[in-house]
């Protein structure tokens, strides 16, 4: 039986055992109904938010599927099929390590009539000190000036008679010597590369003459805006390190480099484990 106190209309009936509500069964029914309404409303709001999020995701996916011209300059966010036949059809590169540590990287193409052989040496301007900066590039110039077996003229004529091309370049990371010849002349090209790397003479008069050539080359480089900007970029990004120096080196170093400096650089850096011969 439900009873009310005289002072206020407050339900005094004890709640059923195990009930979560404080009040009579009528109050419990009203509270249950109110909770059900709140739960239903909360579920409805969550459903609406999920639907709105799904609609927004669909719009975003559609936007990604439409090519945006802002990204067309370099790539497109739309997946596309790419033909890799040209890459997969190339011959496999095989790397063989000789007992002295020299690595030989070879690619065989039986249909090719020409071949390129060279020596890539892990010895660029980054391996120089402030006092020896420019030695790697100076050595690249001197390497073709004659050996104990071939004079400079004999070296040039031998390459020209084969219809080949002999060249070199120096970077901050490496120095490279390579030759392009007919495939039948590969043994001769290998012999020439081995000769210039092991038996170069570095005559004093040739060193003096080449010093002037490099100084003129430096003047030409200083007139090229892109080269100057690139050198300044390295000097800023790699401050207080060898990578921040130029490849040609300062003019003072070029004027002071001697035959002994070149020979010492070869003994130190031109070692088999630091070479790759493709």
């Amino acid at each position: 039986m439900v009873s009310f106190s005289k002072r206020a209309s407050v339900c005094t009936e004890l709640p059923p055992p195990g009930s979560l509500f404080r009040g009579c069964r009528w109050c419990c029914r009203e509270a249950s109904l109110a909770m059900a309404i709140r739960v239903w409303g909360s579920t409805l709001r969550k459903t609406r938010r999920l639907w709105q999020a799904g609609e927004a995701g669909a719009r975003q996916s559609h936007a990604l599927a439409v090519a945006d011209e802002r990204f067309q300059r370099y790539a497109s966010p739309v997946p596309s099929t790419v033909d890799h036949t040209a890459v997969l059809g190339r011959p496999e590169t095989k790397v063989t390590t000789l007992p002295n540590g020299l690595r030989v990287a070879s690619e065989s193409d039986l249909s090719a009539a020409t071949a390129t052989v060279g020596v890539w040496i892990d010895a660029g301007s980054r391996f120089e000190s402030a006092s020896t900066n420019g030695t790697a590039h100076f050595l690249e110039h001197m390497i073709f000036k004659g050996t104990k077996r071939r004079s400079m003229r004999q070296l040039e004529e031998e390459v020209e008679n084969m219809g080949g091309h002999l060249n070199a370049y120096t970077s901050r990371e490496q120095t490279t010597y390579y030759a392009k010849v007919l495939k039948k002349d590969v043994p001769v090209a290998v012999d020439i590369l081995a000769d210039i790397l092991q038996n170069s003479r570095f005559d004093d008069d040739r060193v003096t003459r080449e010093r002037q050539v490099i100084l003129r080359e430096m003047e030409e480089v200083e007139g090229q805006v892109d080269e100057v900007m690139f050198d300044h970029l390295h000097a800023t990004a790699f401050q207080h390190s060898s990578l921040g120096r130029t490849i040609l080196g300062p003019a003072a170093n070029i004027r002071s480099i001697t035959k002994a400096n070149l020979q010492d650089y070869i003994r130190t850096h031109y070692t088999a484990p630091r070479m790759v011969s493709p």
Side-chain angles (χ1 to χ4, degrees):
M1 181 174 182
V2 180
S3 62
F4 296 90
S5 65
K6 295 179 181 180
R7 295 182 179 180
S9 298
V10 179
C11 178
T12 60
E13 183 178 355
L14 296 176
S19 175
L20 298 176
F21 306 101
R22 296 179 179 180
C24 65
R25 59 181 175 272
W26 305 105
C27 296
C28 292
R29 289 177 182 176
E30 292 180 0
S32 299
L33 180 60
M35 177 173 287
I37 293 174
R38 288 196 297 271
V39 171
W40 179 79
S42 175
T43 303
L44 182 61
R45 286 192 296 272
K46 291 181 180 179
T47 303
R48 184 181 293 111
R49 286 196 296 268
L50 291 174
W51 178 80
Q52 291 174 346
E55 187 178 29
R59 288 196 299 268
Q60 185 177 7
S61 299
H62 176 70
L64 291 176
V66 177
D68 191 334
E69 62 180 9
R70 292 176 299 175
F71 300 100
Q72 293 302 305
R73 182 177 179 183
Y74 301 108
S76 172
V78 181
S80 59
T81 303
V82 179
D83 185 11
H84 295 287
T85 304
V87 178
L88 298 176
R90 293 191 59 83
E92 179 185 0
T93 301
K94 297 181 180 180
V95 180
T96 306
T97 303
L98 302 182
N100 64 351
L102 176 67
R103 287 160 292 171
V104 180
S106 58
E107 286 186 3
S108 177
D109 187 355
L110 299 179
S111 63
T114 60
T116 300
V117 293
V119 180
W120 271 250
I121 308 172
D122 188 18
S125 61
R126 69 172 301 176
F127 299 98
E128 301 167 344
S129 63
S131 60
T132 62
N133 184 209
T135 305
H137 179 257
F138 203 117
L139 178 58
E140 175 216 323
H141 277 248
M142 290 299 303
I143 209 77
F144 300 116
K145 304 308 178 184
T147 69
K148 297 176 183 178
R149 295 170 46 195
R150 298 176 173 92
S151 65
M152 178 178 173
R153 180 174 180 177
Q154 290 173 334
L155 186 61
E156 294 176 349
E157 290 179 349
E158 190 169 0
V159 175
E160 290 177 357
N161 290 338
M162 291 190 299
H165 174 71
L166 184 64
N167 206 347
Y169 67 85
T170 305
S171 68
R172 286 177 170 83
E173 300 286 348
Q174 63 188 10
T175 305
T176 302
Y177 305 93
Y178 63 94
K180 296 182 178 181
V181 295
L182 297 174
K183 62 180 181 180
K184 66 180 180 64
D185 296 321
V186 167
V188 180
V190 172
D191 181 68
I192 291 175
L193 289 171
D195 190 24
I196 63 176
L197 290 174
Q198 299 179 90
N199 304 314
S200 290
R201 290 187 308 204
F202 307 125
D203 295 334
D204 292 332
D205 59 334
R206 290 289 183 184
V207 172
T208 303
R209 189 178 307 173
E210 204 62 29
R211 183 177 287 118
Q212 300 304 319
V213 173
I214 297 175
L215 289 173
R216 287 196 298 271
E217 180 182 351
M218 179 181 294
E219 295 176 357
E220 294 176 1
V221 171
E222 290 175 350
Q224 301 175 14
V225 178
D226 53 343
E227 292 287 346
V228 174
M229 290 181 62
F230 198 63
D231 285 340
H232 280 290
L233 175 63
H234 272 80
T236 303
F238 303 101
Q239 298 182 36
H240 312 296
S241 72
S242 57
L243 282 174
R245 305 187 187 103
T246 63
I247 297 174
L248 273 65
N253 285 6
I254 296 174
R255 293 189 180 97
S256 62
I257 290 176
T258 63
K259 175 181 179 179
N261 298 135
L262 301 176
Q263 292 175 334
D264 182 65
Y265 191 89
I266 289 180
R267 283 193 299 268
T268 305
H269 301 288
Y270 281 31
T271 58
R274 299 176 66 169
M275 295 182 179
V276 178
S277 179

